[in-house]
Amino acid sequence: MTACAIEPSADPGDGGAPLVGCSITAEGAYAARLARSGGGGGAAWYPERWTLDGPEPYAVPLPGNQPEEPGTEVQPMGDGRVLVHRVAAGRHLFALLYPTGPGTGELPLGAVECPADSTGMRLLPPVPGGERAYALAAGPRATVLWRIAGGAFGPERVAEIPGRCSGGAWLDRTGRMLAVDRETGGRTKAVVVDLEREGEVSPLLQIAPDSDDRLLLADPDSGLVLIGSDAPSPGRERLGWGVLGSTLPVRFPECLRMPDCVVTPFAVQPGQVLTPERCAVALRVDGAFGSWVGVWRPAERQVRHLPAPEGWLTGAGLWTPDGELRLPCSTPRSPCGVARLVAPDTADAGGADRVDRADGAGGTDGAGHTNGPGGTGGAAGTGAASGTDGERPGNPEAATPGEPGDGPGAADTPAAAQPRPVPLQQAPLARLVTK
């Protein structure tokens, strides 16, 4: 249903509350999270699976024999089981949980021991299809990619990637091409790992030689990628977009530049195979007044800001192909619910966005354009207001590379001195035969 990126949870064993709302399968059928029972000093954490593809969402608790640590990672599989990643005595333990009547069944998968100089191990986003699961174990000079579930003998070492890797996004629907952000020589560049070629590594992003270029989100259908790079503003990361295989440069819309806010894309509308510029992108915006939701399309020159629904599992959500954003929510009154946001298409850009609290989520309807939680009116940072965003609505092929506000450095240098944008580099995806 969507390709969504969920920011990593706290490293298992670090302590503290989980940093992420929940993890959702690539097809959007299941979600998993750590839920908490009780309160105060007696609170206990346990895995919980949500089913999202039925008439109404519902949750199934999967408590084990003892409470989970707050940093335990959970991830839903395509068959409804939940992968759990625990840390004990310096070992990373993996198991699959599933409901068995009144109790919880547990299938141990094995353990991985990381070197003492490792910075930890974390699960990668759910693989399309949901039959496999992978994890990265980053060391000071190299990162090991592990297949945790879906193999024949438990955790299997797949590849060793030179450099320290983070992030993670799937570039195709078969789970073959994995993009990660690799740090080498003091610079971070996104690279592609081909899992069918024994972990062969190819360059993906090279916007400028001395820039840090990270891949934040990717849609396998349209090829749309969301990028974080300091190429246009050295030392300050900007949010940009490009299309895999396109000859056009990466663009950095001025409307995505929000002072004093952290903007993180977390879901993109699937199914727009020939029109990546019409893909709706969901943004998590964190500012001084809390977190809220932004909706943006590459063909538009504005971000539509919406208050976060009550109980939103922050940073989690998925798009349907017809343009409905579904945000999982949990409140004491309704522990398992989904808020639905219907964003207008590009042709209806003047229409109002609508948030409907549905599927047991409770609450009230109605939300207009805001500049933050509780704000009113208009979209922040539009080209009309700033005068620096040179993007034209519509097909990006018609846009002129090098317009003000689009290329590296465009927002920070005079037009006469604007550097020439460097096109997005693509991994050798031509070898991948798709049907």
Side-chain angles (χ1 to χ4, degrees), residues 4 6 15 34 41-42 49 59 80-81 98 125 139 141 151 162 165 170 198 208 238 240 242 278 281 314 411 432:
C4 62
I6 305 299
L34 277 187
R49 185 196 72 190
R81 293 181 294 179
Y98 53 93
R141 291 175 296 276
C165 296
W170 298 100
E198 300 181 348
R238 292 278 302 274
R278 297 176 68 90
V281 178
T314 309
L432 178 62

Side-chain angles (χ1 to χ4, degrees), residues 87-420:
V87 175
R91 305 174 73 215
H92 297 265
L93 309 175
F94 300 92
L96 288 171
L97 307 181
Y98 53 93
T100 56
T104 300
E106 181 167 331
L107 175 63
L109 295 178
V112 174
E113 293 190 20
C114 293
D117 58 355
S118 172
T119 58
M121 190 174 193
R122 64 175 184 82
L123 295 174
L124 287 168
V127 182
E131 297 179 355
R132 294 167 287 151
Y134 293 86
L136 285 178
R141 291 175 296 276
T143 299
V144 179
L145 174 65
W146 290 85
R147 179 168 53 229
I148 303 301
F153 307 103
E156 301 176 38
R157 187 184 178 111
V158 176
E160 182 172 311
I161 308 166
R164 188 177 185 276
C165 296
S166 59
W170 298 100
L171 301 181
D172 65 327
R173 290 292 182 189
T174 66
R176 170 181 172 178
M177 309 300 282
L178 170 67
V180 295
D181 303 322
R182 180 175 67 175
E183 180 184 349
T184 56
R187 294 295 176 189
T188 300
K189 303 287 185 182
V191 298
V192 168
V193 182
D194 189 337
L195 301 188
E196 291 189 6
R197 288 181 171 263
E198 300 181 348
E200 178 182 278
V201 178
S202 305
L204 179 64
L205 291 179
Q206 181 73 42
I207 300 178
D210 57 350
S211 63
D212 292 322
D213 309 319
R214 300 186 302 121
L215 184 68
L216 305 179
L217 188 63
D219 175 45
D221 295 335
S222 64
L224 177 68
V225 291
L226 279 298
I227 296 160
S229 174
D230 63 355
S233 306
R236 292 180 294 165
E237 185 174 272
R238 292 278 302 274
L239 183 59
W241 69 280
V243 180
L244 287 175
S246 173
T247 59
L248 293 180
V250 175
R251 304 170 69 85
F252 295 90
E254 188 67 20
C255 64
L256 297 180
R257 186 179 186 180
M258 304 180 196
D260 303 320
C261 291
V262 177
V263 183
T264 308
F266 64 88
V268 61
Q269 181 184 359
Q272 313 301 305
V273 178
L274 301 178
T275 54
E277 73 278 2
R278 297 176 68 90
C279 290
V281 178
L283 308 170
R284 169 182 171 176
V285 186
D286 296 290
F289 298 100
S291 301
W292 63 95
V293 180
V295 176
W296 168 80
R297 284 185 172 89
E300 298 180 0
R301 298 176 59 187
Q302 63 177 354
V303 175
R304 292 179 171 80
H305 296 265
L306 293 162
E310 182 184 3
W312 179 37
L313 303 182
T314 309
L318 62 96
W319 286 100
T320 63
D322 57 357
E324 181 179 76
L325 178 60
R326 298 178 179 178
L327 304 175
C329 304
S330 180
T331 65
R333 181 178 54 198
S334 181
C336 178
V338 174
R340 301 172 183 266
L341 161 66
V342 180
D345 200 353
T346 306
D348 305 319
D353 302 308
R354 186 178 76 250
V355 172
D356 295 329
R357 178 74 79 144
D359 297 335
T364 59
D365 298 342
H369 303 303
T370 70
N371 292 320
T376 59
T382 63
S386 66
T388 59
D389 187 358
E391 284 200 297
R392 299 190 185 101
N395 189 346
E397 299 288 341
T400 302
E403 289 178 325
D406 292 330
D412 301 274
T413 58
Q418 180 181 343
R420 183 170 177 266

